[in-house]
């Protein structure tokens, strides 16, 4: 009789551990790729994952002072460090209008990874790395760190290649 109770307890503990693991994995997680601090804004590039897959790319702009955001673009950087600038019109989940942020407010640009991949590949420009650029109404640019795609089109932050 004690053996049966022991087996039942082990089975219940195993099921509860499995349930906790599945519950944690099913939650949406935001993983930071790039965090840049400027005098006017805090610029963050995040990956939102759920069930182990990338759901969205989030470009979060938090205002430190009153700021007006005019344009969002992407810079494609080739192996010779030449830059091609592409305006990101129409691939957000929300329209690209001028956005006014007061101190402490934030705005998040949501990108679906598949539409971003399609947009970049349609341009037909060779590139090695890229970065997101947010421009205010005065022409000041706020840039993320350089990112790259691997062979499966997953975004990662590449090594600089310089050590010490």
């Amino acid at each position: 009789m004690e053996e049966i109770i022991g087996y039942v307890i082990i089975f219940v503990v195993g099921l509860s551990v499995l349930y906790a693991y599945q519950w944690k994995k099913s939650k949406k997680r935001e993983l930071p790729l790039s965090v840049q601090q400027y005098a006017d804004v805090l610029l963050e590039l995040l990956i939102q994952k759920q069930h182990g897959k990338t759901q969205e790319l989030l470009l979060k702009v938090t205002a430190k002072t009153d700021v007006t955001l005019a344009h969002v673009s992407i810079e494609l950087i080739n192996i010779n460090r030449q830059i091609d600038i592409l305006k990101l019109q129409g691939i957000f989940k929300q329209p690209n209008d001028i956005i006014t942020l007061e101190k402490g407010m934030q705005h998040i640009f949501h990108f679906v990874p598949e539409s971003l991949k399609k947009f970049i590949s349609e341009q037909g420009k060779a590139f090695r790395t890229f970065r997101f650029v947010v421009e205010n109404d005065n022409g000041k640019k706020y840039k993320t760190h350089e990112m790259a795609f691997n062979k499966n089109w997953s975004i990662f932050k590449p090594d600089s290649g310089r050590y010490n």
Side-chain angles (χ1 to χ4, degrees), residues 144-155:
T144 65
H145 289 102
E146 288 188 26
M147 300 292 140
F149 287 112
N150 68 6
K151 63 182 180 180
N152 299 325
W153 283 88
S154 295
I155 295 176

Side-chain angles (χ1 to χ4, degrees), residues 8-9 14 30 36-37 41 52 60 94 97 107 110 117 121 127 137 142:
V8 169
I9 290 173
E30 292 181 356
Q36 293 282 79
Q37 294 201 22
V41 299
K60 187 186 299 187
Q94 67 268 13
D97 294 332
H107 184 77
H110 298 267
K117 288 186 261 186
S121 60
F127 69 97
D137 58 343
Y142 310 106

Side-chain angles (χ1 to χ4, degrees), residues 8-135:
V8 169
I9 290 173
I10 290 173
F11 182 72
V12 169
V13 168
L15 279 179
S16 61
V17 167
L18 180 64
Y19 176 75
Y21 174 74
Q22 290 293 336
W23 179 74
K24 182 179 178 187
K25 191 170 176 123
S26 68
K27 289 175 41 177
K28 287 186 178 181
R29 295 175 295 156
E30 292 181 356
L31 307 170
L33 277 177
S34 172
V35 178
Q36 293 282 79
Q37 294 201 22
Y38 293 96
D40 301 336
V41 299
L42 173 66
L43 186 64
E44 297 175 274
L45 181 62
L46 308 165
I47 291 180
Q48 189 177 65
K49 287 192 168 196
Q50 187 176 20
H51 303 295
K53 296 190 178 188
T54 302
Q55 301 296 320
E56 285 185 323
L57 287 172
L58 307 174
L59 185 62
K60 187 186 299 187
V61 181
T62 306
K64 293 181 179 178
T65 62
D66 293 349
V67 67
T68 302
L69 307 177
H71 303 287
V72 177
S73 58
I74 191 168
E75 290 182 351
L76 301 179
I77 305 166
N78 68 14
I79 200 159
N80 297 326
R81 304 296 299 165
Q82 294 173 340
I83 297 173
D84 292 317
I85 299 172
L86 306 174
K87 298 285 185 197
L88 294 176
Q89 300 282 354
I91 68 166
F92 306 134
K93 284 190 169 179
Q94 67 268 13
N96 188 15
D97 294 332
I98 293 178
I99 299 161
T100 304
L101 298 175
E102 295 175 4
K103 182 178 180 178
M105 289 179 58
Q106 70 179 7
H107 184 77
I108 301 174
F109 296 97
H110 298 267
F111 299 97
V112 178
E114 290 77 25
S115 64
L116 181 65
K117 288 186 261 186
K118 183 180 176 188
F119 177 76
I120 291 174
S121 60
E122 285 176 352
Q123 302 303 315
K125 299 185 184 210
F127 69 97
R128 190 180 63 151
T129 59
F130 66 94
R131 64 182 161 205
F132 289 96
V133 179
V134 178
E135 188 176 341

